C-alpha cells in the first residue's frame, strides 16, 4: 500500500485545534506535542475504559511500550510519532513491518512531523490499512453520535446520517419525449433513497438503463456474426445536421397533488459512492430511463431523446417538471425535500449519460462524475469505417444493446401491448446503424456529445483507464479536450481497465469527491482544489502524479496513401 493523498485540505493550527476539540479530542495549542499526542491516542481507544491497558499493548519503539513512553520524560519524536501512527492506522509491528522508518518511507507516508496539532488533524484524514480514513473509522465506532445533521471535518462531511431510517420512495417523472409514439409523454421510474430530515438536501443521480433489469436472452439472439469480407467503398460526402437537444417547456399543472409518495421499495442495486454520500446527507437517486422496466417509451440508445428523459428528473428536482405517484397519472408530487443541486455518478453507460447530461447545460446539475463514459457512440462501435466490438463483447452493436436494455418487455402486459411496434422500431434502428458500410452518419451524429461540449456548465470529473478496451480512452480524451479551458474540469487517469475507482486503496478518490461535493452541492467554502489531471504512473506501483493537462498539442498529421 502507498499513500496518495489528494483530498486533505491544509489548515491553520487554530482550525486544527478547533476541529479536533469539536470531535472530543482534548488537545490544546498551549499543551506540549507529547501531551496532545497522548490525549489523542487515548481518545482513539473508544472501546476501553482503562486506556492504560491498551497503551501497554502498543509500542513506542522496539524496547518501550507506549504507556511507559507516555509516563517517561522522553520527548515525542518523528520516529515515535510514525510508529504509533502506523498502529493507529491498523498496521501491526513485526507482522506488517519491522523497520517503521523504512516502511513509512516506502509507503510515502503523507505527514511531515513537526509536533503540531496539524499532524494529528492530518492523521485523522489519512487512510487506514482497511481503506477507510481514520476519522471515518472512528465515526463508525461512535466517536460522535448519529445526528441527521451535517458535521464537517477538514472540509468534508462525516457519516452522521441514519441510513436505517431512510425514505425509500418511487415517483414517475414526466419527460418531454414520446418515444413509443402512443400520444402520451413518457414517464420514467425514479427510485429515491433520502435521509429523514426536515431540511432540503442535494442529490446524487445515477442514470442507468440497467437499474431495473436487462433482457439478455433477447440481446443474445440478435448478436451479430463476426465473420465477413471487408467492403471496398468509394469516397463520398456525408450530410449532417445538428440534433435538437432543447426540450419544450413542461406542463406544470398539478393533478390532485399529494405530498407523500404512494410507492415504496425494500431493496435496489446501489453504487458505493452514492452509499458513501447517503450516510453523509446526500440523497441517492436511480433512474433507468425510457424503455425500461416500469417506465414507458422505447429504448433510444444514446440519442438526446433518452438524455432529455433523464434531464427531466433534474428538472423535477428543481420544480420545472411534473412527477406522478404512479403511472396512472392520478396524483402529482413535488420534490419538496430537494435543494435542487445534483451530481451525476456511474461508470460505462452510466458515465456516458453523465457526459450527455452535462451537455444539456441543465440548471441544478452542479457536478458530473463521469467514469469510463462514452463521448461519441460512433467511437464505441466503429472506427474509421470499420466495425468494432467493445472489449469482451464480440458481436455486440447498438441494436443488441438496445435489446439488452429494453427491459420494459420483461413485463408481460407491456410486451403484449407494445412488442409489435417495438420490433418495427428495432428493425429501423438495425438498418440505421449500417453495419455494411460503417460510415459516420446522422444516426451516429445524433449520439455524439462532443459537439455540444461548449454548453457544459457543471464541474466535470472524469475517470478512465489506459487499459480500458470496452470504452476506449479516445472517448475521455476527446471530451476532455473539447471542454473549454475555462471550465472546472478534472481527470483521474489510471492504468486499470473498465473499472470503478471508488474503493481503490492507493488513492483517496471518494474523499476527494466528498470535498468537491461539499463545495458544489452544499456551498461549503472549504478551500479545496482538485488538480486538473491526476495520473497513475505506470513506472512505479501505486504511484499517482499531478499533470497540468491531458494530451498534447504537438502532434503530426500523416496522410495515408500519399507518397512523401
Amino acid at each position: 500500500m502507498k499513500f496518495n493523498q489528494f483530498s486533505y485540505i491544509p489548515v491553520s493550527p487554530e482550525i486544527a485545534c478547533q476541529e479536533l476539540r469539536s470531535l472530543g479530542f482534548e488537545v490544546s495549542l498551549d499543551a506540549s506535542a507529547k501531551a496532545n499526542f497522548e490525549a489523542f491516542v487515548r481518545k482513539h481507544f473508544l472501546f476501553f475504559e482503562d486506556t492504560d491497558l491498551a497503551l501497554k499493548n502498543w509500542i513506542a519503539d522496539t524496547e518501550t511500550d507506549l504507556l511507559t513512553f507516555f509516563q517517561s520524560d522522553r520527548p515525542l519524536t518523528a520516529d515515535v510519532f510514525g510508529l504509533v501512527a502506523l498502529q493507529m492506522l491498523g498496521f501491526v509491528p513485526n507482522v506488517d513491518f519491522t523497520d517503521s522508518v523504512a516502511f513509512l518511507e516506502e509507503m510515502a507516508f503523507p505527514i511531515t512531523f513537526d509536533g503540531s496539532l496539524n499532524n494529528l488533524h492530518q492523521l485523522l484524514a489519512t487512510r487506514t490499512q482497511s481503506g477507510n480514513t481514520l476519522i471515518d473509522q472512528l465515526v463508525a465506532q461512535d466517536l460522535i453520535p448519529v445526528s441527521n445533521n451535517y458535521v464537517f471535518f477538514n472540509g468534508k462531511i462525516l457519516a452522521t446520517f441514519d441510513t436505517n431510517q431512510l425514505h425509500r420512495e418511487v415517483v414517475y417523472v414526466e419527460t418531454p419525449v414520446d418515444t413509443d409514439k402512443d400520444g402520451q409523454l413518457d414517464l420514467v421510474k425514479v427510485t429515491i433513497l433520502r435521509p429523514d430530515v426536515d431540511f432540503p438536501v442535494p442529490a446524487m443521480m445515477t442514470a442507468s438503463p440497467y437499474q431495473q433489469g436487462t433482457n439478455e436472452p433477447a440481446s443474445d439472439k440478435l448478436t451479430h456474426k463476426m465473420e465477413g469480407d471487408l467492403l471496398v467503398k468509394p469516397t463520398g460526402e456525408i450530410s449532417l445536421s445538428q440534433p435538437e437537444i432543447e426540450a419544450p417547456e413542461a406542463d406544470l399543472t398539478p393533478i390532485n397533488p399529494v405530498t407523500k409518495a404512494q410507492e415504496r421499495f425494500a431493496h435496489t442495486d446501489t453504487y458505493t459512492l452514492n452509499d458513501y454520500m447517503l450516510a453523509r446527507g446526500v440523497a441517492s437517486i436511480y433512474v433507468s430511463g425510457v424503455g425500461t422496466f416500469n417506465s414507458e417509451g422505447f429504448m433510444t440508445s444514446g440519442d438526446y431523446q433518452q438524455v432529455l428523459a433523464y434531464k427531466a428528473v433534474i428538472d423535477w428536482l428543481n420544480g420545472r417538471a411534473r412527477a406522478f405517484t404512479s403511472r396512472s397519472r392520478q396524483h402529482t408530487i413535488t420534490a419538496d425535500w430537494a435543494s435542487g443541486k445534483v451530481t451525476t455518478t456511474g461508470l460505462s453507460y452510466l458515465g456516458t449519460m453523465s457526459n450527455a447530461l452535462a451537455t444539456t447545460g441543465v440548471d441544478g446539475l452542479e457536478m458530473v462524475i463521469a467514469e469510463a463514459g462514452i463521448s461519441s457512440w460512433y467511437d464505441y462501435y466503429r472506427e474509421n469505417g470499420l466495425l468494432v466490438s467493445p472489449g469482451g463483447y464480440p458481436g455486440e452493436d447498438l441494436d443488441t444493446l438496445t435489446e439488452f436494455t429494453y427491459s420494459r418487455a420483461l413485463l408481460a402486459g407491456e410486451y403484449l401491448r407494445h412488442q409489435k411496434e417495438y420490433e418495427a422500431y428495432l428493425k429501423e434502428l438495425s438498418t440505421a446503424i449500417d453495419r455494411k458500410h460503417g460510415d459516420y452518419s446522422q444516426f451516429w451524429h445524433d449520439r455524439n456529445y462532443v459537439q455540444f461540449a461548449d454548453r457544459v456548465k457543471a464541474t466535470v470529473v472524469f475517470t478512465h483507464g489506459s487499459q480500458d478496451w470496452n470504452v476506449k480512452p479516445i472517448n475521455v480524451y476527446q471530451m476532455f479536450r473539447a471542454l473549454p479551458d475555462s471550465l472546472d474540469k478534472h481527470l483521474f487517469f489510471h492504468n486499470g481497465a473498465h473499472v470503478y475507482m471508488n474503493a481503490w486503496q492507493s488513492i483517496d478518490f471518494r474523499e476527494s469527491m466528498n470535498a468537491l461535493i461539499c463545495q458544489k452541492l452544499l456551498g461549503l467554502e472549504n478551500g479545496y482544489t482538485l488538480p486538473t489531471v491526476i495520473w497513475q504512473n505506470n513506472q512505479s506501483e501505486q504511484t499517482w502524479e499531478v499533470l497540468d493537462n491531458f494530451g498534447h498539442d504537438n502532434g503530426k498529421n500523416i496522410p495515408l496513401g500519399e507518397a512523401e
Side-chain angles (χ1 to χ4, degrees):
M1 174 180 173
K2 264 190 178 179
F3 291 102
N4 292 277
Q5 193 174 66
F6 294 98
S7 65
Y8 182 69
I9 305 168
V11 298
S12 67
E14 290 75 18
I15 294 296
C17 184
Q18 176 185 331
E19 292 197 346
L20 287 165
R21 290 187 64 84
S22 71
L23 295 171
F25 293 97
E26 296 180 0
V27 296
S28 168
L29 290 170
D30 299 324
S32 68
K34 184 177 179 181
N36 280 331
F37 193 44
E38 180 176 359
F40 181 81
V41 175
R42 285 185 184 275
K43 179 65 176 180
H44 156 272
F45 292 116
L46 296 175
F47 301 139
F48 288 81
E49 290 290 333
D50 183 1
T51 54
D52 281 358
L53 180 61
L55 293 174
K56 286 175 67 175
N57 285 321
W58 281 17
I59 60 172
D61 56 39
T62 56
E63 298 179 350
T64 313
D65 69 61
L66 192 52
L67 179 61
T68 301
F69 168 77
F70 282 138
Q71 291 174 341
S72 74
D73 58 3
R74 290 171 51 190
L76 179 64
T77 64
D79 288 352
V80 172
F81 173 81
L83 176 54
V84 176
L86 284 173
Q87 293 168 88
M88 294 188 77
L89 297 176
F91 296 96
V92 181
N94 306 310
V95 176
D96 296 314
F97 64 91
T98 53
D99 184 338
S100 62
V101 174
F103 190 59
L104 288 165
E105 183 177 353
E106 177 187 331
M107 299 170 72
F109 187 61
I111 302 172
T112 301
F113 177 77
D114 61 10
S116 71
L117 291 177
N118 296 70
N119 294 157
L120 309 184
H121 188 265
Q122 188 172 0
L123 184 56
L124 284 179
T126 300
R127 287 278 184 96
T128 65
Q129 188 182 37
S130 66
N132 293 321
T133 59
L134 182 56
I135 183 60
D136 283 345
Q137 176 180 295
L138 293 175
V139 169
Q141 296 171 349
D142 295 329
L143 172 68
I144 54 176
V146 170
S147 61
N148 270 358
N149 215 328
Y150 294 113
V151 178
F152 298 95
F153 174 77
N154 194 228
K156 294 174 277 293
I157 322 171
L158 297 178
T160 52
F161 287 78
D162 187 355
T163 54
N164 293 314
Q165 298 293 328
L166 296 171
H167 291 278
R168 300 170 180 267
E169 54 199 15
V170 174
V171 301
Y172 295 84
V173 168
E174 186 175 56
T175 74
V177 298
D178 177 15
T179 56
D180 56 7
K181 296 180 172 51
D182 65 354
Q184 281 192 311
L185 295 177
D186 299 335
L187 299 182
V188 292
K189 181 179 180 178
V190 181
T191 303
I192 304 165
L193 299 100
R194 60 182 177 89
D196 184 15
V197 295
D198 58 3
F199 52 84
V201 298
M204 299 183 80
M205 173 177 143
T206 303
S208 170
Y210 310 129
Q211 184 68 29
Q212 294 291 321
T214 55
N215 193 347
E216 189 169 356
S219 178
D220 287 346
K221 290 177 183 177
L222 201 59
T223 300
H224 300 277
K225 293 183 178 180
M226 300 297 291
E227 301 83 1
D229 296 327
L230 292 177
L231 180 70
V232 177
K233 297 179 291 185
T235 58
E237 292 187 358
I238 300 170
S239 177
L240 302 172
S241 61
Q242 194 173 76
E244 178 58 58
I245 72 170
E246 299 294 339
E249 189 171 332
D251 181 358
L252 300 179
T253 306
I255 300 174
N256 301 317
V258 296
T259 59
K260 187 176 181 180
Q262 297 176 347
E263 183 177 334
R264 296 175 294 168
F265 63 96
H267 172 76
T268 189
D269 291 335
T270 60
Y271 171 33
T272 55
L273 183 60
N274 294 34
D275 294 340
Y276 169 82
M277 294 306 301
L278 181 60
R280 290 159 176 78
V282 179
S284 188
I285 296 177
Y286 298 91
V287 193
S288 281
V290 290
T292 62
F293 193 89
N294 276 326
S295 291
E296 297 175 347
F298 289 161
M299 175 56 63
T300 62
S301 297
D303 74 353
Y304 272 94
Q305 291 186 92
Q306 182 185 34
V307 177
L308 290 175
Y310 287 125
K311 172 183 173 290
V313 179
I314 300 175
D315 285 330
W316 173 67
L317 292 171
N318 285 276
R320 299 188 299 266
R322 286 192 304 193
F324 295 91
T325 58
S326 75
R327 285 176 56 192
S328 67
R329 305 178 191 235
Q330 294 181 2
H331 300 278
T332 53
I333 185 170
T334 59
D336 56 3
W337 53 266
S339 72
K341 294 184 179 295
V342 180
T343 182
T344 57
T345 61
L347 175 130
S348 195
Y349 206 146
L350 293 58
T352 301
M353 290 298 100
S354 285
N355 279 335
L357 278 164
T359 63
T360 67
V362 57
D363 289 338
L365 181 58
E366 304 296 330
M367 179 175 164
V368 163
I369 306 173
E371 301 194 59
I374 298 166
S375 58
S376 168
W377 285 87
Y378 183 85
D379 293 317
Y380 186 65
Y381 284 120
R382 304 287 184 270
E383 185 169 348
N384 294 317
L386 297 176
L387 303 179
V388 175
S389 292
Y393 300 96
E396 183 188 305
D397 210 323
L398 196 63
D399 54 353
T400 66
L401 182 65
T402 299
E403 275 281 64
F404 186 73
T405 53
Y406 184 61
S407 56
R408 186 184 187 186
L410 297 178
L411 290 165
E414 295 280 35
Y415 184 95
L416 182 68
R417 289 185 292 272
H418 298 286
Q419 191 65 14
K420 183 178 178 180
E421 292 81 4
Y422 167 72
E423 287 178 357
Y425 160 77
L426 182 64
K427 186 176 181 180
E428 292 177 3
L429 188 146
S430 293
T431 300
I433 63 176
D434 188 12
R435 286 180 63 83
K436 181 178 179 181
H437 296 92
D439 290 333
Y440 192 81
S441 64
Q442 186 65 48
F443 178 87
W444 297 110
H445 196 56
D446 291 344
R447 292 160 174 80
N448 183 349
Y449 314 127
V450 180
Q451 62 185 305
F452 296 115
D454 61 339
R455 300 194 182 192
V456 176
K457 298 186 297 185
T459 293
V460 180
V461 179
F462 299 103
T463 78
H464 218 104
S466 62
Q467 305 304 309
D468 191 338
W469 287 97
N470 185 325
V471 180
K472 292 179 285 297
I474 185 64
N475 283 276
V476 71
Y477 175 82
Q478 59 191 9
M479 195 68 183
F480 186 93
R481 301 276 291 180
L483 291 173
D485 290 336
S486 58
L487 192 76
D488 188 15
K489 59 180 179 178
H490 310 273
L491 168 64
F492 289 81
F493 194 61
H494 60 80
N495 286 321
H498 196 60
V499 293
Y500 281 109
M501 280 189 61
N502 183 48
W504 284 27
Q505 191 180 49
S506 68
I507 187 168
D508 52 350
F509 172 75
R510 65 170 172 261
E511 290 81 11
S512 297
M513 295 304 96
N514 186 337
L516 207 56
I517 286 168
C518 285
Q519 274 187 357
K520 306 303 178 182
L521 271 61
L522 292 175
L524 182 68
E525 295 181 1
N526 57 13
Y528 181 61
T529 302
L530 181 67
T532 302
V533 179
I534 300 176
W535 165 64
Q536 189 178 17
N537 188 330
N538 62 5
Q539 296 178 314
S540 180
E541 186 178 4
Q542 295 187 344
T543 299
W544 297 79
E545 299 177 5
V546 171
L547 302 177
D548 293 330
N549 206 348
F550 183 51
H552 58 81
D553 298 307
N554 58 350
K556 181 180 180 182
N557 292 322
I558 303 176
L560 298 178
E562 294 184 10
E564 288 289 338

